[in-house]
Amino acid sequence: MELSYQEKLTLIKLKDLKKAKFEDLVKETGLDQVAVMRAVLWLQSKGLAKLHERQKRIVRITELGKKYAEIGLPERRALKLLVERGKVSLDDLREVLSDDELKPIIGILRREGWASVRKEDGKLILEVTEKGKEALSKERPIDKALKLLAEKGEVEAKELEQLVPIKELKSRKIGEEDTKAEREVEITEEGIKLVEKGLELKKEVSVLTPELIKSGEWRNVEFKRFNIQAPVRRVYPGKKQPYRVFLDKIRRKLIEMGFIEMTAESLIETQFWNFDALFQPQNHPARDWTDTYQLKYPKYGSLPDEELVEKVKASHEHGWTTGSRGWGYKWDPRMAMLLMPRAHATALSARQLGKGVQIPGKYFAIQRVFRPDVLDRTHLIEFNQVDGFVVDESLTFKHLLGILKRFAVEIAGAKKVKFLPDYYPFTEPSVQMSAYHPELGWVEFGGAGIFREEMTKPLGIDVPVIAWGIGIDRLAMFKLGIDDIRYLFSYDLKWLREAKLVW
Ligand SMILES: N[C@@H](Cc1ccccc1)C(=O)O
């Protein structure tokens, strides 16, 4: 049987005592109360000891009682004066008694037979009796009771009752009655047997210190075992916001797949990069393929170098050298300079292509984007997109579908993928992809396509670029088990603390 140091010590002491008051056991073991109680309870649960508890009546000494114990009960003080002087007047007694004590004193002295009382010149005179003289050196039961109370502070009522009725102690305000639980610990047969078999009493430690190792003392100690099943208080250490964790994991996955991350310093973009560089005509309803916000102040940003702007302009107006006829309108640089909160992460792909890319190369961005909408459980005006593209000489539409499928499986954990024809001004062909989730059913996953030459050529890219954009929030909702998209950004502490960190 596994016993702790404290349990062993308690049991060994108990073996000698057989049955002991809890307080005595505490004294014997030299441990503190809590430790002994814990040990006793464990011993009890192991059938080695028994804890008996009973309510007992006790009498506790009062402040007045303490005072009397020191200076003597009023009648004793009066008796002393009486014996010294033979007879005294009531007034004389004031020397040794207070007003309160004076009042009942004649009654008490008479009852005890210590004094006789008569009137002399209208004054009460007390004269000591023989019994009174003898009484000076004798202890009455009440004196004994007071002494006992003064010594112990509290005494079991049963013990005092053998001397005086408790009523009397109470009426004289020497003691007050109370009840108290008395605990007794008893060793069982099994406990005795165990001690007789011999218990090795090794000191128990819970921390292995450098000192223990250096001194070699670790050999002589017992290491405390931890109960890892014991319930403990929950702690909530600082941790990343659950949605952040989810996005970080997607980032990690893409990096593992060989993608290079594109980042932006600002959430604000020029229309040039959000629209124009993506071959979206300024005067065409296609520009409204999504509603966007505009910045009031500052209203305008700056355009990239002129050469690039000229090419984009040419592409829009007449197709430049791409063989396309373009959109056939007059391109306005002022409009391209308007500032807006970025409306899609594809703007970062355009920027990256303009800066130059590795060929073959793979790029991605995780970007907060903004579009006007009515807020509800499934719509936010800001959300996150994961966009990316792959550049290589020999890429075809089939590659695009293959890569998208892999994403759906790797990132979304989808089982089936479905492609539908779609339209974006910057891709041709364009597809919309849905992924099948066991619980969610078919979920629209994102758009994709091959960037149009009218877009890539002005940016200086002459090879095929396949691109995609994925709305990540709905996926996160599903993964995090929430049905209100606003929770992704919630500061509800309970949710933040308890949300599982998922991938
Ligand atoms: N930017 C598009 C998605 C997309 C990205 C890249 C290519 C094609 C489509 C959207 O926000 O819906």
Side-chain angles (χ1 to χ4, degrees):
M1 190 172 316
E2 188 93 33
L3 294 185
S4 73
Y5 172 77
Q6 265 106 331
E7 287 163 49
K8 283 181 198 165
L9 184 63
T10 306
L11 196 64
I12 288 169
K13 295 291 173 201
L14 211 50
K15 159 97 178 355
D16 297 335
L17 299 163
K18 294 280 177 294
K19 189 171 184 176
K21 282 199 183 135
F22 179 72
E23 290 73 30
D24 295 340
L25 194 59
V26 170
K27 251 182 253 156
E28 282 292 319
T29 55
L31 300 171
D32 68 38
Q33 283 215 22
V34 182
V36 178
M37 188 41 91
R38 204 179 297 139
V40 166
L41 291 175
W42 273 115
L43 289 172
Q44 174 159 271
S45 76
K46 293 169 185 173
L48 301 173
K50 264 192 206 141
L51 181 68
H52 305 286
E53 226 171 20
R54 71 179 176 93
Q55 294 296 326
K56 63 174 182 183
R57 285 186 306 126
I58 53 141
V59 176
R60 197 173 293 125
I61 193 164
T62 60
E63 283 309 310
L64 187 65
K66 282 181 200 163
K67 190 174 143 199
Y68 286 167
E70 226 174 84
I71 63 171
L73 283 160
E75 66 269 29
R76 294 220 72 98
R77 273 177 271 143
L79 181 64
K80 223 175 137 206
L81 198 74
L82 264 171
V83 173
E84 270 168 30
R85 303 195 185 160
K87 65 176 185 182
V88 293
S89 73
L90 201 55
D91 261 348
D92 292 336
L93 284 176
R94 283 187 197 280
E95 289 173 35
V96 290
L97 299 180
S98 71
D99 284 350
D100 284 348
E101 291 167 345
L102 200 62
K103 258 181 255 155
I105 199 67
I106 295 179
I108 299 175
L109 289 173
R110 264 193 172 154
R111 200 175 60 227
E112 293 289 353
W114 289 352
S116 61
V117 184
R118 66 194 140 82
K119 258 192 179 161
E120 240 173 56
D121 303 334
K123 268 207 227 159
L124 278 180
I125 298 295
L126 295 140
E127 199 169 348
V128 72
T129 60
E130 273 315 303
K131 194 173 174 206
K133 283 180 196 159
E134 279 163 28
L136 201 57
S137 57
K138 270 192 196 154
E139 243 185 0
R140 296 165 304 160
I142 182 116
D143 300 314
K144 283 189 193 140
L146 180 61
K147 214 164 135 192
L148 201 64
L149 273 172
E151 256 168 39
K152 297 195 174 170
E154 59 182 47
V155 180
E156 200 173 342
K158 256 204 264 164
E159 199 179 336
L160 284 172
E161 267 159 358
Q162 287 169 2
L163 297 168
V164 285
I166 305 299
K167 235 180 29 204
E168 194 176 332
L169 297 173
K170 286 205 290 198
S171 73
R172 297 207 59 178
K173 298 195 168 59
I174 292 172
E176 52 200 11
E177 213 177 354
D178 200 359
T179 56
K180 209 179 163 184
E182 184 182 64
R183 300 195 180 91
E184 264 187 338
V185 191
E186 191 180 12
I187 193 164
T188 63
E189 277 306 312
E190 219 184 309
I192 294 172
K193 266 188 235 154
L194 194 72
V195 180
E196 277 167 355
K197 259 204 277 171
L199 282 179
E200 202 186 354
L201 200 56
K202 273 195 182 175
K203 211 162 140 221
E204 210 178 32
V205 295
S206 49
V207 188
L208 180 61
T209 60
E211 289 71 36
L212 279 175
I213 299 173
K214 269 190 253 164
S215 64
E217 186 53 24
W218 61 269
R219 282 191 196 89
N220 309 323
V221 299
E222 194 132 321
F223 289 98
K224 200 180 177 114
R225 281 175 187 269
F226 291 103
N227 177 2
I228 55 166
Q229 248 93 45
V232 289
R233 204 163 58 92
R234 273 193 98 97
V235 284
Y236 297 103
K239 63 176 180 190
K240 278 192 189 171
Q241 205 268 1
Y243 189 29
R244 176 82 263 162
V245 173
F246 174 76
L247 291 177
D248 284 349
K249 286 187 176 164
I250 288 183
R251 168 178 293 116
R252 182 137 183 202
K253 201 112 194 174
L254 285 164
I255 287 171
E256 279 168 5
M257 286 166 86
F259 280 82
I260 297 169
E261 184 170 14
M262 308 178 280
T263 53
E265 273 154 34
S266 169
L267 296 172
I268 303 303
E269 191 60 275
T270 52
Q271 286 209 8
F272 181 84
W273 288 115
N274 198 86
F275 290 128
D276 298 280
L278 286 153
F279 196 56
Q280 296 186 54
Q282 294 179 329
N283 63 348
H284 194 281
R287 190 106 175 192
D288 299 329
W289 65 276
T290 171
D291 292 331
T292 55
Y293 289 110
Q294 275 204 12
L295 229 60
K296 255 192 187 158
Y297 182 84
K299 210 172 163 69
Y300 294 101
S302 52
L303 294 179
D305 69 86
E306 219 173 304
E307 204 187 321
L308 172 60
V309 174
E310 280 308 314
K311 287 179 194 165
V312 169
K313 177 177 151 79
S315 180
H316 275 243
E317 290 183 351
H318 50 74
W320 190 43
T321 58
T322 61
S324 157
R325 279 185 283 145
W327 296 109
Y329 74 108
K330 181 119 189 61
W331 188 80
D332 177 7
R334 285 300 278 174
M335 188 165 180
M337 285 164 73
L338 285 169
L339 289 172
M340 59 185 287
R342 198 172 282 114
H344 60 162
T346 320
L348 294 185
S349 297
R351 275 180 176 274
Q352 184 65 50
L353 290 169
K355 263 190 259 171
V357 291
Q358 296 173 5
I359 300 175
K362 299 190 258 188
Y363 294 82
F364 81 99
I366 299 180
Q367 179 64 44
R368 179 75 60 91
V369 299
F370 302 83
R371 292 182 200 175
D373 213 327
V374 180
L375 282 182
D376 66 20
R377 293 176 44 207
T378 52
H379 292 92
L380 284 176
I381 57 165
E382 49 180 301
F383 53 100
N384 292 282
Q385 283 188 330
V386 181
D387 257 64
F389 62 87
V390 180
V391 236
D392 200 356
E393 314 247 338
S394 55
L395 282 179
T396 67
F397 189 60
K398 272 204 107 162
H399 288 112
L400 173 68
L401 300 187
I403 287 177
L404 288 175
K405 197 168 170 181
R406 199 165 151 213
F407 275 1
V409 174
E410 294 250 349
I411 293 183
K415 299 277 174 269
K416 279 183 278 179
V417 186
K418 188 163 75 178
F419 297 106
L420 297 167
D422 205 347
Y423 173 76
Y424 293 101
F426 37 88
T427 47
E428 182 58 37
S430 306
V431 287
Q432 184 250 297
M433 180 180 51
S434 293
Y436 189 78
H437 256 295
E439 280 104 308
L440 281 185
W442 286 104
V443 180
E444 209 183 298
F445 194 56
I450 300 181
F451 277 149
R452 296 173 74 116
E453 254 182 86
E454 293 101 316
M455 173 200 160
T456 50
K457 223 176 162 194
L459 295 174
I461 308 292
D462 267 328
V463 293
V465 180
I466 58 179
W468 79 93
I470 295 170
I472 209 70
D473 303 69
R474 283 190 65 196
L475 207 59
M477 282 170 70
F478 169 69
K479 290 273 185 178
L480 290 164
I482 56 176
D483 59 5
D484 187 328
I485 196 163
R486 288 166 288 200
Y487 253 87
L488 291 177
F489 305 95
S490 165
Y491 43 79
D492 175 350
L493 254 189
K494 186 172 152 59
W495 181 72
L496 288 172
R497 280 175 168 168
E498 285 166 15
K500 45 184 182 165
L501 299 183
V502 292
W503 154 232

